[in-house]
Amino acid sequence: MKHWVFSYCNAFDRLWRGLSGQFKVVLPSDCRRPKTTMAQSLSRNQTSKRRKTDGSLTAISERSDGNSEWVDGARRQLNELCTSRGLKPVLSISRSVRGKVELSLRPRRPGNRIVLPFDWSEAAWGDCYVRIRNIYATALQGYNLVEAASLTEAKAPRGERNWETMKAAFKEWKTTADSAIKLGTWEHSYEPVISDAVALLTGKTPPLMAHPLMLACMQKADGTAYRSGSRMRKIRVRSLAQFLNYCVEQHHLPEAWAAPKNLKPLIGAVKPSERVNQKADAFSSDQDILDLLASLPDEDTGRRWRDATMLMAELGLRPVELLHLKVRTDDLSGEPYWWCTYQKKGGNGATEPRRIIPLPLKSNDGEVQQWNLIQRWCTRDIQLPPLESGNGAAECWKTYFSRRPYWLSLKQRAMELEDKRLTAYSFRHSFSVRGHRRGIDAGSMALVMGHCLQTHCAFYPWAQKSSVEAAFADAHHRLVNA
């Protein structure tokens, strides 16, 4: 059986070979490949060898360019253009189908090949090189060749970018991801400047990169610029920088659209003659707070605002934290304690909910104030005033107290005599001073007040000063008692 199969296969193989030799395909003479001479074959081999041994990234043209001397010189110029900037040669030229100069940039990506409006000739190379040099300088900023060529012709490379879509995506990201800001924060700090930027970018002569766009967005509708170093200018610069960096990272815009890492030159500095102290200062003493509380009218509205101010003073609360104040019970002792659920959001994330320990005030006579606020809170004896209308709790507090004569006189006296600025946050600052005067370390105060130690020392300078003084006093005490 095996012998029969083997013989059959041999016979079939001989038949196939015999038949295949009888048929021959003959092409017309105009379709045949022309015979090459020995010189042409040698030239082709030399060209292939040059492709293999050339270590640079400037490729030899794949199309026939005549191997003219000016082509070799042009490619050397491109190599020198790259290496003069401390980079590897990444540019190459070749002859296009229509006899123009075709420029390519490594790595090969969409948009990194372009045909220039210059003939493939020695006479046109001088002007062509100037154009390539300008295109390459722009491409180094993060653009591809197509965009860089448009920029050198003073055209904005819009492509398929939809700035409105990117704005909507950024809003979604800021309000639901990242630090998840409130809608009111978006409308106040982000919406105005980003809307101005989108209007400029979709106009007839849009900016070509991030820096001129950010400068243009620092202009008001009437043509005047936002004051250098002002808070509004700082908000606009930082918000627009976040938007542009988001577009570069998430929507893959060129690096030229990334905001500068150092935003201080764009924000500017306030002139010494125009500098206004926006930070709150602590009260000179607890007695000033007690006198202010005593000046409030003894009726329903006055009692509500008195209780709210007492909570801010004894607990060191931000005004908005009045809306997030609760009472919990300790599992071990069974005693009630204050708990604040407010989480302040910032560039480094959000603060954590915290336990608050009261610091009672002391009058000039040395009497410690016993307000029994936590007991009154548990029995619902404390009713807070409306704090959610307008621009927030701090603004509500300011509106009410701006009509109180004693508060106005206290503010004026503090400014004239001590150059202090009193606001609703002054109660919180006084809480910090009170704690440090009673020997509480900066770390514990920072924990109770709901921020990190670095923030506490930066915004409450007396915290660092008192810690230093306490450390030296302790060292001196140990030395004396040694």
Side-chain angles (χ1 to χ4, degrees), residues 231-246:
R231 175 165 175 77
M232 182 52 65
R233 186 181 180 100
K234 183 184 297 184
I235 290 174
R236 290 176 70 88
V237 168
R238 290 178 175 175
S239 300
L240 184 55
Q242 290 182 46
F243 172 65
L244 293 174
N245 290 335
Y246 167 83

Side-chain angles (χ1 to χ4, degrees), residues 89-301:
V90 292
L91 294 173
S92 62
I93 56 171
S94 59
R95 182 177 180 177
S96 70
V97 176
R98 298 182 181 275
K100 301 294 184 180
V101 176
E102 184 174 291
L103 179 66
S104 301
L105 176 68
R106 298 284 183 90
R108 298 291 178 84
R109 293 173 181 171
N112 274 358
R113 181 185 291 267
I114 187 173
V115 177
L116 301 175
F118 296 96
D119 294 332
W120 182 264
S121 64
E122 184 176 4
W125 172 247
D127 294 336
C128 181
Y129 176 72
V130 174
R131 176 69 64 82
I132 292 175
R133 186 175 59 192
N134 295 336
I135 292 175
Y136 182 58
T138 306
L140 290 177
Q141 301 177 18
Y143 293 98
N144 59 41
L145 283 185
V146 175
E147 294 176 328
S150 298
L151 286 171
T152 56
E153 297 175 4
K155 298 178 181 178
R158 300 179 189 176
E160 297 181 356
R161 294 177 195 147
N162 190 325
W163 291 103
E164 288 288 353
T165 300
M166 286 188 279
K167 173 189 170 184
F170 179 66
K171 178 181 179 181
E172 181 73 14
W173 182 69
K174 287 297 295 182
T175 54
T176 60
D178 192 37
S179 55
I181 62 174
K182 295 181 179 180
L183 187 60
T185 304
W186 167 266
E187 294 175 351
H188 174 265
S189 301
Y190 292 88
E191 175 68 30
V193 64
I194 296 177
S195 295
D196 292 346
V198 171
L200 290 170
L201 291 167
T202 55
K204 293 183 178 180
T205 56
L208 306 178
M209 55 188 64
H211 193 271
L213 172 65
M214 298 183 76
L215 283 177
C217 289
M218 295 305 108
Q219 302 292 324
K220 299 180 182 179
D222 58 2
T224 60
Y226 287 92
R227 184 167 52 86
S228 176
S230 64
R231 175 165 175 77
M232 182 52 65
R233 186 181 180 100
K234 183 184 297 184
I235 290 174
R236 290 176 70 88
V237 168
R238 290 178 175 175
S239 300
L240 184 55
Q242 290 182 46
F243 172 65
L244 293 174
N245 290 335
Y246 167 83
C247 292
V248 171
E249 295 172 4
Q250 302 296 328
H251 296 270
H252 310 293
L253 264 63
E255 286 295 328
W257 287 109
K261 293 183 179 180
N262 184 13
L263 298 177
K264 288 184 178 180
L266 286 169
I267 296 174
V270 181
K271 297 179 180 179
S273 59
E274 299 177 353
R275 184 171 290 127
V276 178
N277 181 21
Q278 297 292 336
K279 296 182 179 180
D281 295 303
F283 290 91
S284 299
S285 66
D286 289 349
Q287 188 63 49
D288 288 342
I289 300 176
L290 298 176
D291 293 341
L292 174 64
L293 294 172
S295 69
L296 298 178
D298 189 16
E299 40 88 17
D300 182 65
T301 302

Side-chain angles (χ1 to χ4, degrees), residues 435-452:
H436 288 292
R437 285 177 177 173
R438 297 178 186 179
I440 303 175
D441 62 276
S444 299
M445 289 300 303
L447 186 64
V448 170
M449 296 183 69
H451 47 229
C452 65

Side-chain angles (χ1 to χ4, degrees), residues 82-93:
C82 299
T83 56
S84 64
R85 299 174 180 267
L87 304 173
K88 294 182 179 180
V90 292
L91 294 173
S92 62
I93 56 171

Side-chain angles (χ1 to χ4, degrees), residues 74-82 91-93 125 132:
R75 287 171 176 150
R76 282 195 298 271
Q77 280 185 291
L78 294 182
N79 286 344
E80 293 172 357
L81 176 63
C82 299
L91 294 173
S92 62
I93 56 171
W125 172 247
I132 292 175

Side-chain angles (χ1 to χ4, degrees), residues 419-430:
D419 195 25
K420 286 186 175 182
R421 181 173 181 266
L422 300 182
T423 69
Y425 284 84
S426 294
F427 301 99
R428 180 172 170 82
H429 287 251
S430 295

